């Protein structure tokens, strides 16, 4: 976990924590260690004649919390767009809601409880009530109640905010045991320059959001939250998966130079945005973006992307604390189309809630094995009103642009047929009501379970396109939890078993003449992308930040070389051999695509 180096004959210990570099970039900043979990509040009463003063304390805390939330909301809107920022409006609404705050006041007035205790008791009762409602729209609010409780307690106790989104000091590096995807989405990008957590894996959704934000991040550091103290200087190296605690001047100097070089490289990559992603022998590769929020479309186009290959619409649910309405969906899709224009494609994936995209702590009875549980298309098919609401919104939007519908985690043909039948029902209803939609909207599916990959031929007859999700495919083929840092070393998309499945799915798609793209994180890694192109893949979808480097790679490649690489790579026995071979080939074939950095150095 910690390293040392020899300097000038003496040994200087540099405290270095290793984790998994999940979002590229390096930063130097000040540690901000966040407490997590529930606060302990002592049971305290007040004298009857202190009631008015205690109520005034409570009012002051509420006022302070509202002011803080308004600031956080303003920043989040600028950073992530209106959709992601809504969570904070909901929090303000709760503080102004009499049914939330009246019980607190009552406990102070009637029972003479100290404000902290009254808040703790009332919010606990509220959380229990929400949990018991059985409806996910309510049970998912429990985390928000906890957030609000902590914010009010911070106000009463005059403490530093505990919520990451409330961090405003410039150059903060957030250190925590864990961050949820929505907490990450709410981080203030003006202040926070990176984060490191004890838990997490490279394809967890927190990591995906970090990449979407372009925020350097290292996860799976095991115990960093207990090794670092707020105020310490840190170097966060998302490229190498390192956190250096309290670095010496030489190390700081080294990193200042690295950060400057990275900035120059980014600039030169940016200049490629207007160029086409065409190989040296003239083959065009579509480069699409993965997004979680509509406003990310700007980043995709700015990076030179051709459209959106994966819109993870579940983030509408993850960042809002009220169930999104049909109009909420519709507005989000229209916003994407407005940014994309009439021709660029927008692949909308229906909600993929569940597993790590649906915090189990939020539900009354957590699933024992959520990755194998009620998630994705299974969840949608059991929540038909929710599913239909989304399909209606997508269809309404389809009248205004180039939309494609994609179902996540399809495992059986029965599921696919059921989902398509629901889609047909919704279309019929809309046609009866003379509502406009694209009746020929392409319908596709994610191939991310072993079952759908093995039976790709059968699925290919019933869809217009495939998109291979290497994140889940790797998780399920190798039986390795993608979010678990303890088995992160076993999570290897380069495993030959996965390569063979991808090759077979690619062949099925070609045989049936349907489109195929890859939208898992592996598609964004240059040497892996080279392999995929060699297997015949012509559409890659990745986080915006990965697009410029992919474009540079493609422009330096020849298809025949990629095909040779693919044939050879698939013949190895282990992921380690495949990776070593890919690194070697990439270094020889396209050294310019890696800007002097070691191939494979960035995750
Ligand atoms: C995947 O599984 O590869 C994928 C793209 O979907 P997600 O990461 O949202 O599960
Ligand atoms: Mg997936």
């Amino acid at each position: 976990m910690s390293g040392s180096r020899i300097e000038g004959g003496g040994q200087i210990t540099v405290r270095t924590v290793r984790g998994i570099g999940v979002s590229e970039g390096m930063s130097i900043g000040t540690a901000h260690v966040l407490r997590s979990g529930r606060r302990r509040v002592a049971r305290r009463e007040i004298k009857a004649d202190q009631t008015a003063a205690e109520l005034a304390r409570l009012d002051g805390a509420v006022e302070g919390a509202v002011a803080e939330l308004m600031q956080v909301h303003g920043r989040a809107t600028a950073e992530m767009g209106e959709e992601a920022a809504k969570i904070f409006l909901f929090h303000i609404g709760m503080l102004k809601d009499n049914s939330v705050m009246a019980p607190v006041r009552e406990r102070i007035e009637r029972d003479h409880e100290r404000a902290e205790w009254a808040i703790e008791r009332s919010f606990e009762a509220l959380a229990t009530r929400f949990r018991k409602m059985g409806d996910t729209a309510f049970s998912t609010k429990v985390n928000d109640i906890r957030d609000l409780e902590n914010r009010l307690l911070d106000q009463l106790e005059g403490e530093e905010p505990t919520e990451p989104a409330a961090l405003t000091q410039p150059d903060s590096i957030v250190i925590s045991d864990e961050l949820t995807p929505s907490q990450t989405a709410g981080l203030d990008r003006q202040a926070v320059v990176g984060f490191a957590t004890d838990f997490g894996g490279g394809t967890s959704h927190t990591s995906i959001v970090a990449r979407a934000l372009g925020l350097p991040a290292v996860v799976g550091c095991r115990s960093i939250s207990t090794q670092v103290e707020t105020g310490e200087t840190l170097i966060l190296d998302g490229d190498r998966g390192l956190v250096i605690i309290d670095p010496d001047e030489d190390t700081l100097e080294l990193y200042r130079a690295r950060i400057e070089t990275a900035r120059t490289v980014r600039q030169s990559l940016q200049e490629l945005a207007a160029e086409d992603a065409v190989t040296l022998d003239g083959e065009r590769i579509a480069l699409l973006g993965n997004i979680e929020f509509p406003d990310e479309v700007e980043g995709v186009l700015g990076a030179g992307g051709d459209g959106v290959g994966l819109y993870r619409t579940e983030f509408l649910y993850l960042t809002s604390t009220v169930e999104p309405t049909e109009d909420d969906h519709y507005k989000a899709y229209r916003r994407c189309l407005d940014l994309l224009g009439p021709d660029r494609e927008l692949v909308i994936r229906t909600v993929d809630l569940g597993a790590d995209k649906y915090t189990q702590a939020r539900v009354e009875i957590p699933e024992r094995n959520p990755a194998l549980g009620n998630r994705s298309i299974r969840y949608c098919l059991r929540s038909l009103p929710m599913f239909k609401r989304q399909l209606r919104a997508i269809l309404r939007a389809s009248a205004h642009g180039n939309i494609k519908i994609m179902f996540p985690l399809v495992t059986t043909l029965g599921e696919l047929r059921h989902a398509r039948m629901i889609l047909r029902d919704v279309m019929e209803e809309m046609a009866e009501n003379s509502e406009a939609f694209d009746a020929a909207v392409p319908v596709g599916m994610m191939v991310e379970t072993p079952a759908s990959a093995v039976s790709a031929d059968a699925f290919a007859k019933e869809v217009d396109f495939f998109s291979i999700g290497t994140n889940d495919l790797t998780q399920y083929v190798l039986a390795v939890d993608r979010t678990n840092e303890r088995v992160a070393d076993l999570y290897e998309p380069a495993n030959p078993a996965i390569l063979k499945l991808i090759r077979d799915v690619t062949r099925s798609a070609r045989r049936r003449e349907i489109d195929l793209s890859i939208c898992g994180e592996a598609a964004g890694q240059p040497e892996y992308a080279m392999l995929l192109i060699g297997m015949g893949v012509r559409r890659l979808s990745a986080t915006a930040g990965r697009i410029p480097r992919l474009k540079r790679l493609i422009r330096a490649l020849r298809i025949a070389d990629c095909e040779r690489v693919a044939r050879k790579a698939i013949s190895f026995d282990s992921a380690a051999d495949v990776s070593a071979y890919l690194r070697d080939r990439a270094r020889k074939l396209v050294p310019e695509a890696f800007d002097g950095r070691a191939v494979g150095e960035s995750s």
Side-chain angles (χ1 to χ4, degrees), residues 368-399:
R368 275 193 294 272
N369 209 341
L372 302 180
N374 184 21
R375 61 166 295 199
S376 312
I377 196 69
R378 304 168 187 178
Y379 184 86
C380 288
L381 293 174
R382 289 161 199 226
S383 317
L384 287 185
M386 177 193 87
F387 191 35
K388 285 186 167 179
R389 214 170 19 246
Q390 177 171 36
L391 292 175
R392 278 183 52 80
I394 299 176
L395 288 171
R396 277 170 61 197
S398 73

Side-chain angles (χ1 to χ4, degrees), residues 203 205 208 310 312 314 349 352 357 375 446 448 468-473 482 519-521:
T203 60
H205 290 89
I208 287 169
L310 169 65
R312 293 183 163 100
E314 57 278 7
R349 181 174 72 183
D352 187 22
K357 278 180 284 192
R375 61 166 295 199
M446 297 278 299
E448 50 183 347
I468 301 181
T470 49
N471 304 339
D472 276 314
L473 190 62
R482 65 192 263 192
C519 64
E521 298 303 302

Side-chain angles (χ1 to χ4, degrees), residues 221-254:
C221 301
R222 290 168 191 242
S223 61
I224 192 160
S225 66
T226 57
Q227 296 182 49
V228 171
E229 280 178 29
T230 294
E232 278 186 298
T233 299
L234 298 180
I235 293 173
L236 187 90
D237 184 340
D239 294 357
R240 295 166 189 81
L242 298 178
V243 184
I244 303 171
I245 306 166
D246 197 13
D248 56 25
E249 195 45 46
D250 285 352
T251 314
L252 281 170
E253 212 33 66
L254 171 73

Side-chain angles (χ1 to χ4, degrees), residues 211-366:
R211 284 192 285 278
L213 289 169
L215 194 61
V218 182
V219 305
C221 301
R222 290 168 191 242
S223 61
I224 192 160
S225 66
T226 57
Q227 296 182 49
V228 171
E229 280 178 29
T230 294
E232 278 186 298
T233 299
L234 298 180
I235 293 173
L236 187 90
D237 184 340
D239 294 357
R240 295 166 189 81
L242 298 178
V243 184
I244 303 171
I245 306 166
D246 197 13
D248 56 25
E249 195 45 46
D250 285 352
T251 314
L252 281 170
E253 212 33 66
L254 171 73
Y255 268 89
R256 284 188 199 112
R258 281 184 171 165
I259 290 169
E260 181 50 27
T261 309
R263 202 186 55 76
T264 324
V265 168
R266 258 199 319 276
Q267 221 165 24
S268 78
L269 282 173
Q270 204 49 48
E271 286 159 14
L272 278 179
E275 306 290 327
D276 279 343
V278 180
T279 60
L280 289 175
D281 41 2
E283 186 78 26
R284 178 99 169 70
I285 311 290
L287 281 182
L288 301 149
N290 292 350
I291 62 165
E292 286 74 43
F293 304 105
D295 289 351
E296 283 179 76
V297 170
E298 286 170 316
V300 171
L301 297 182
D306 296 310
V308 172
L310 169 65
Y311 176 10
R312 293 183 163 100
T313 59
E314 57 278 7
F315 276 78
L316 282 166
Y317 288 76
L318 291 169
T319 52
S320 164
T321 42
V322 283
E323 184 95 19
T325 62
E326 182 185 315
D327 263 348
D328 290 336
H329 281 284
Y330 177 71
K331 278 190 203 138
Y333 308 150
R334 283 302 306 269
R335 169 89 183 129
C336 292
L337 290 179
D338 287 347
L339 294 169
L340 283 166
D343 300 323
R344 291 196 195 91
E345 70 184 280
L346 171 65
V347 180
I348 302 182
R349 181 174 72 183
T350 56
V351 293
D352 187 22
L353 285 170
D356 70 321
K357 278 180 284 192
Y358 187 62
T359 325
Q360 292 294 309
R362 290 176 166 192
V363 290
E364 194 189 356
I365 305 173

Side-chain angles (χ1 to χ4, degrees), residues 419-472:
R420 294 206 69 144
M421 187 186 80
I422 307 288
L423 178 64
R424 267 195 309 277
D425 287 351
V426 175
M427 282 183 169
E428 273 166 26
E429 278 165 28
M430 289 178 67
E432 272 165 30
N433 296 333
S434 309
E435 288 176 90
F437 64 91
D438 174 8
V441 61
V443 178
M445 60 178 266
M446 297 278 299
V447 178
E448 50 183 347
T449 62
S452 62
V454 170
S455 302
D457 232 21
F459 284 97
K461 289 184 213 159
E462 306 199 18
V463 287
D464 299 310
F465 65 93
F466 281 157
S467 189
I468 301 181
T470 49
N471 304 339
D472 276 314

